Amino acid sequence: MAAEWRFRIMGTVFGPVSVADLVRQAAEGRIGPDTEVRKGDGPWILASKVAGLFDRAAQARPAAPDPPGPAEEASVFVPAPRRPSSAAPSGGNFEVIDMAEADGFRVEVLAYSGLGGSRDPQTASTLYFAERAGIRLKQVRITLDGGEAIAESGALHFMLGRIQMESKIGGVAGLGKAMMNRFVAKEAAILPRYRGTGQIYLEPSFGHFLIHRLAAEEVIADKGMFYCGQGTLDVGAAIQKNVSSALFGGEGLFQTRIRGTGICVLESPVPAGEIVRVDLKDEALQVDGNFALMRTGRIEFSVEKSTRSILGTITGGEGLLQTFRGTGSVWLAPTQEVYQRLQAGGLGSMSSASRSSNTST
């Protein structure tokens, strides 16, 4: 059966897979009705639009899924059955909302169904309205099977199994790199490294997480976004390549650089479903604001005037624009500024900002 289907989860594309594999992914809950899929070079559509997919998935669900063949394992994430781990805790009022696996390393984003144990009425009221608004407590879980992981310093909640943790500086050169990460990229000076077999639970958070796969490439991200990842990755600081981006880009002189092959988890200011990936092919993207989260590929970042003349910049009302030129991908969080304005002053400040932005000078 031809492997011609692909599916996309939080910006990461998996495939190609056969129809049978697509059904199995749906039966196991990794593909939902709102997951984007496409056949061959066709357009991306919602999985709910694929005729018969979830009917076949419902029929296949009671039966244990067949393990993938060797060719399929090389091209798509389809977890093979794992041996029971003595380290796995029982129970848990949560569900897995995103996951990825490679080379003895699995990372999952867990979302708790609800919190109802507070004895303080004010806290209970806050949790009640947070739940009604769709705000869920999340936690990142890493499972190692002879693999290796790195995580932000202080992120560990608990771990169990045969796992060793170490924090090595690596001499004078390593100390210099650690201080660079700490002071200019807002990353931990020393990233703890975990090796062995077992499970690692990182601190629960109401924040948002984005899983991203690197394939012998480099990601330039906002400062402080890196949360955890495979031990094969190198995390450091990237210096801005031109004066305009350093002075007016809103990111400062340094950003976070993640390099190598592996899986990483990034802390996002908005839900993953609100992130937009823009793919550039020797072209330009200009952004009025500071909501570009990260970029990959051969892309140059600079800050430019919205028009060629100073008078045009003033009358146009846009000022300076973040500009990305080249070939690669840029991840945007268009809703980030909306949350910031609401947090700062509520709906009134948003209306004022909207009116002022529409007023000509």
Side-chain angles (χ1 to χ4, degrees), residues 279-285 298-299 324-328:
D279 297 324
L280 302 178
K281 295 182 179 179
D282 194 22
E283 52 192 336
L285 166 69
R298 300 184 303 277
I299 293 180
F324 303 86
R325 277 195 171 86
T327 299

Side-chain angles (χ1 to χ4, degrees), residues 95-118:
E95 62 174 323
V96 178
I97 60 174
D98 195 16
M99 65 185 299
E101 183 178 48
D103 302 327
F105 173 94
R106 170 185 283 186
V107 64
E108 299 164 294
V109 179
L110 314 177
Y112 285 80
S113 300
L115 302 176
S118 175

Side-chain angles (χ1 to χ4, degrees), residues 62-75:
D66 297 329
E72 296 168 339
E73 287 181 348
S75 61

